[in-house]
Amino acid sequence: STALVLDASPERARPLVSALEDAGFQVEIASAPAAPADVAGLARHDLVVLGEIPALDFSPSQLDALAAFVRDLGGGLLLLGGEQSLGPGGYARTAIEEVSPTAFDLKQERRRASLAEVIAVDFSGSMAAKAGEHTKLELANEAAVRSADLLGEGDRLGVLHVDAAPHWTVPLAPVVDKAKIAERIRAVGPGGGGIFVDLTLETAYAALRKETTQLKHLLLFADGSDAEERTRAPALVARAKAAGITTSVVALGSGKDVTALERLATLGGGRFYLIEDARRLPAVFAQETVLASRSAINEVRFVPAPRAAGPALRGIDFGAAPPLTGYVVTIPKNRAEVHLAGPEGDPVLATWSVGTGRAGVFTSDFSNRWGHAWTSWEGASRLFGQLSRQLARRAEDPRVRLQAEFENGGLAIRATALDARGRRDTFRRLRVVVSGPEGYQRTAPLEVIGPGHFGLELSPSRPGAYVMTLVDDVTGEPLATGGAVLASGIEQRPVGTDRALLGRVATLTGGKVRDTLAGIFRERERRRFAYSPLEPTLLATCAAALLLAVTARRLFVSIPRLRRATIERRSSASAASITGTLAALRARKRKARGEPAPPSEQTAEAAQPSAHEPSAGSPPRAATPAPKPPLRPPERGRTAAEILLERRRRRLR
């Protein structure tokens, strides 16, 4: 295993290096300028130790790479305390704080001196110049927002934007509505002229003298080559220092006014920062705000008390531990495990898992200041050795293999997996975490492309080194790492046309290879048949038949009996109809011949009351006389033969 120790003083890091070497690590020591600038440079290490180096010594891309090393590559990160690290080092609200198990802000519930701070920002015309993707003023405003976010409700903050005249963007008042404060600060645009230092100091000091807080501080930010009207500035700063108001100065650029600005910081009992890269302003403002509060460092003699058990504490008797003399005050995050605690329960050693890696923080130091007695204690060397082993990246799974390469302008990622018996494991759920240049980050699941084979195609466009980590999607454990490099211009390299492959595709799909598009719309496809499945119709029919059968059984309907009843009903109706018809025909025939009805029919007719007979309740009517019988029968009609014979006789006459 390899470890990278980042510290401004190699001699100060010597005790830690010895402990790591005793634990079996190959150790490299580097300062901030020599630290890798991207994730690819960190990929060969299993552990990174960040010692006492202020955040402003790193570029934002270096801090992002350290965070990605832990979160995406499964590496280990150990943070050490000190006057120039953690919160006092300006790491609050940075990528390092995001992966740290403790927070570096000042919002903890503890007794500390209240702070009234005024931030004076130069917003003259020179601040409209670009520094990367943002202007200098935008970065300065963002730095002021970060400082406001670090303060608590018991603190007071004022933001003063100054060019030829001072403008109170945020009047000096309690820090209550941080969102509104941030909105006001970010809304300020570039002004004109240069910053008038004397007028700025008079306005800021006048506001601070009215405050009753225990600490009063002015942070002056000015262009190193455009700080004007500063004749009375040294005297103003000295009088403010005598009144308990400290002054720190941040100069942007190595201009002609840098020396005078540095002298003001010395007279004011504050700190001077010379910044060449405006992108580092947020870290500087955060560091200065934490230091001005004088609550981030607690220098007191104590022996850490064990809390949560862990591999780092195994076999160590802390009852025999010598005392530490100070530590950096931090706040444990929700999922963090606090293994050692100091006064007031503040964390001294804490760890947690973040992304695919692990991070830990030791808020005291392991050098000649707070941890001088620990450098000669055998238990401390064992503690840091076991802690480093706990945080370092796990060994890769020998049954999983990861490969990646750029081909045809894209990133092809391939993985193979075997089970415990050495057979291809197709049922693994794998995902890959890819990190690349300029903060590129992508997490995606791998798809099965064959028995035990998984693959993914990505299309990154920025040249540089890409590092990927294969992660078990069920357990979250990193399994393997790999990398590939996209050379500049490779994404624009022509790849040609595979005519043989296109011909096979056309043959398999029933198409043809054409050299021109002429006449393509005049061709018609031959008729094809389409088939519709009958399963839905048949299923619906069967369901209806089943329902009818169940209904018939429930109602006890007998089909044969129903059929016989239907036949009998039809027979009765037919017989009655025939009988009635014959009776009517006979009656008409007798009527035509003048014959009387038979006695049976007369009896039936007498039994049925006539429609003209009165009912029992109606009054009697006069009797109707019976019709007289005909004198002779009606004449019979002549036949056709008789008619023809009559006509012949007439012609002969």
Side-chain angles (χ1 to χ4, degrees):
S1 300
T2 62
L4 174 64
V5 178
L6 300 175
D7 201 296
S9 172
E11 185 63 29
R12 182 172 51 203
R14 183 56 54 189
L16 179 62
V17 171
S18 299
L20 293 176
E21 290 176 343
D22 293 342
F25 284 90
Q26 296 180 359
V27 184
E28 296 182 15
I29 304 176
S31 59
D38 54 19
V39 181
L42 296 169
R44 61 190 183 92
H45 300 291
D46 300 308
L47 175 71
V48 175
V49 180
L50 182 56
E52 193 169 350
I53 302 180
L56 61 91
D57 288 355
F58 292 100
S59 66
S61 61
Q62 287 177 309
L63 297 180
D64 292 339
L66 285 172
F69 168 72
V70 181
R71 183 182 56 247
D72 301 334
L73 296 189
L77 177 65
L78 174 59
L79 306 175
L80 297 180
E83 287 185 315
Q84 298 291 316
S85 63
L86 306 182
Y91 289 96
R93 301 300 183 272
T94 65
I96 298 301
E97 186 186 33
E98 292 179 3
V99 298
S100 169
T102 60
F104 306 150
D105 55 22
L106 302 174
K107 292 183 291 187
Q108 62 271 20
E109 296 179 0
R110 58 182 294 113
R111 291 184 178 181
R112 67 175 179 87
S114 57
L115 171 67
E117 182 181 29
V118 172
I119 300 177
V121 179
D122 177 4
F123 79 127
S124 60
S126 62
M127 301 303 293
K130 283 283 188 178
E133 298 180 356
H134 303 279
T135 65
K136 296 179 181 180
L137 180 59
E138 289 174 344
L139 293 170
N141 288 340
E142 194 62 34
V145 170
R146 183 176 296 186
S147 296
D149 194 40
L150 289 172
L151 297 175
E153 294 183 359
D155 300 316
R156 299 173 68 84
L157 175 69
V159 179
L160 189 66
H161 281 84
V162 185
D163 50 6
H167 307 274
W168 281 105
T169 304
V170 179
L172 188 56
V175 181
V176 179
D177 191 347
K178 294 184 179 181
K180 188 174 182 180
I181 292 175
E183 182 181 358
R184 288 182 177 179
I185 295 174
R186 292 188 176 115
V188 177
I195 181 174
F196 286 6
V197 178
D198 290 345
L199 185 58
T200 302
L201 295 178
E202 289 176 348
T203 305
Y205 290 150
L208 287 171
R209 284 190 177 94
K210 299 177 182 178
E211 297 297 321
T212 59
T213 56
Q214 296 165 307
L215 299 175
K216 303 175 185 180
H217 185 67
L218 169 63
L219 176 58
L220 174 63
F221 168 66
D223 193 326
S225 58
D226 199 17
E228 304 174 358
E229 300 290 338
R230 59 178 188 276
T231 306
R232 296 179 291 110
L236 292 172
V237 172
R239 286 198 297 269
K241 177 64 169 60
I245 302 174
T246 56
T247 303
S248 294
V249 180
V250 179
L252 180 61
S254 301
K256 57 183 177 58
D257 301 323
V258 169
T259 303
L261 293 174
E262 183 177 6
R263 181 167 179 264
L264 294 180
T266 303
L267 292 173
R271 289 153 292 275
F272 176 74
Y273 304 88
L274 178 60
I275 304 299
E276 296 290 347
D277 186 357
R279 293 175 297 177
R280 304 188 183 189
L281 285 174
V284 174
F285 278 41
Q287 177 180 354
E288 180 59 26
T289 300
V290 172
L291 292 176
S293 68
R294 301 180 188 177
S295 64
I297 295 177
N298 189 14
E299 292 188 313
V300 61
R301 189 180 180 88
F302 72 100
V303 175
R307 289 290 184 264
L313 276 60
R314 188 177 298 119
I316 301 176
D317 181 14
F318 286 93
L324 298 170
T325 59
Y327 65 97
V328 178
V329 178
T330 60
I331 306 171
K333 296 181 181 178
N334 291 334
R335 295 187 297 104
E337 293 182 281
V338 178
H339 303 290
L340 295 177
E344 303 181 29
D346 293 330
V348 174
L349 175 62
T351 62
W352 77 338
S353 297
V354 52
T356 59
R358 292 185 62 84
V361 58
F362 184 74
T363 59
S364 187
D365 65 5
F366 192 43
S367 61
N368 293 330
R369 183 171 181 177
W370 298 332
H372 177 69
W374 275 40
T375 58
S376 57
W377 178 45
E378 183 180 354
S381 178
R382 183 174 182 178
L383 170 68
F384 284 102
Q386 295 178 162
L387 176 62
S388 300
R389 280 296 175 192
Q390 177 186 352
L391 300 179
R393 180 165 45 195
R394 273 69 167 172
E396 295 188 357
D397 190 337
R399 295 174 298 179
V400 179
R401 184 180 179 185
L402 177 66
Q403 292 180 324
E405 62 178 343
F406 282 94
E407 56 183 16
N408 298 332
L411 176 60
I413 302 175
R414 299 290 182 266
T416 57
L418 302 177
D419 59 15
R421 298 182 180 180
R423 298 176 299 184
R424 298 188 184 276
D425 189 357
T426 309
F427 300 100
R428 295 288 292 270
R429 294 174 55 187
L430 305 175
R431 73 174 187 270
V432 65
V433 181
V434 183
S435 300
E438 301 182 21
Y440 178 88
Q441 199 272 339
R442 176 76 182 275
T443 301
L446 293 183
E447 298 179 355
V448 178
I449 58 177
H453 290 269
F454 305 82
L456 177 66
E457 301 287 341
L458 298 177
S459 300
S461 58
R462 297 171 181 172
Y466 290 81
V467 182
M468 57 276 323
T469 302
L470 189 65
V471 182
D472 190 312
D473 209 11
V474 177
T475 64
E477 293 293 330
L479 303 175
T481 57
V485 177
L486 176 61
S488 179
I490 191 173
E491 70 278 4
Q492 300 176 355
R493 186 178 303 169
V495 296
T497 302
D498 192 344
R499 295 186 176 274
L501 177 60
L502 294 177
R504 290 197 298 271
V505 171
T507 302
L508 291 174
T509 58
K512 63 175 63 176
V513 178
R514 303 179 61 92
D515 295 328
T516 177
L517 296 179
I520 190 172
F521 295 107
R522 292 194 296 269
E523 296 182 0
R524 294 290 184 268
E525 295 286 342
R526 64 177 181 271
R527 181 176 298 178
R528 291 182 172 87
F529 295 95
Y531 300 92
S532 300
L534 293 178
E535 288 87 350
T537 304
L538 295 177
L539 288 175
T541 304
C542 293
L546 177 62
L547 181 61
L548 291 175
V550 173
T551 304
R553 291 182 180 181
R554 297 291 295 177
L555 297 178
F556 298 100
V557 177
S558 176
I559 301 301
R561 291 177 59 186
L562 182 62
R563 187 179 302 166
R564 287 195 300 271
T566 302
I567 294 174
E568 291 175 357
R569 191 181 303 110
R570 290 178 179 176
S571 300
S572 301
S574 178
S577 176
I578 293 172
T579 303
T581 303
L582 291 176
L585 290 175
R586 291 192 189 101
R588 293 188 65 180
K589 184 176 181 180
R590 286 192 299 270
K591 184 177 181 180
R593 294 179 179 179
E595 298 177 357
S600 60
E601 293 184 8
Q602 292 179 359
T603 304
E605 291 177 358
Q608 296 180 357
S610 174
H612 300 285
E613 292 181 1
S615 60
S618 60
R621 294 186 300 174
T624 303
K628 297 180 179 181
L631 298 178
R632 57 184 178 84
E635 295 182 357
R636 181 177 58 85
R638 294 183 298 174
T639 64
E642 293 175 345
I643 294 173
L644 291 175
L645 181 59
E646 180 66 24
R647 290 179 180 178
R648 185 178 298 174
R649 289 175 179 175
R650 289 178 182 175
R651 284 196 300 268
L652 292 177
R653 292 176 184 175

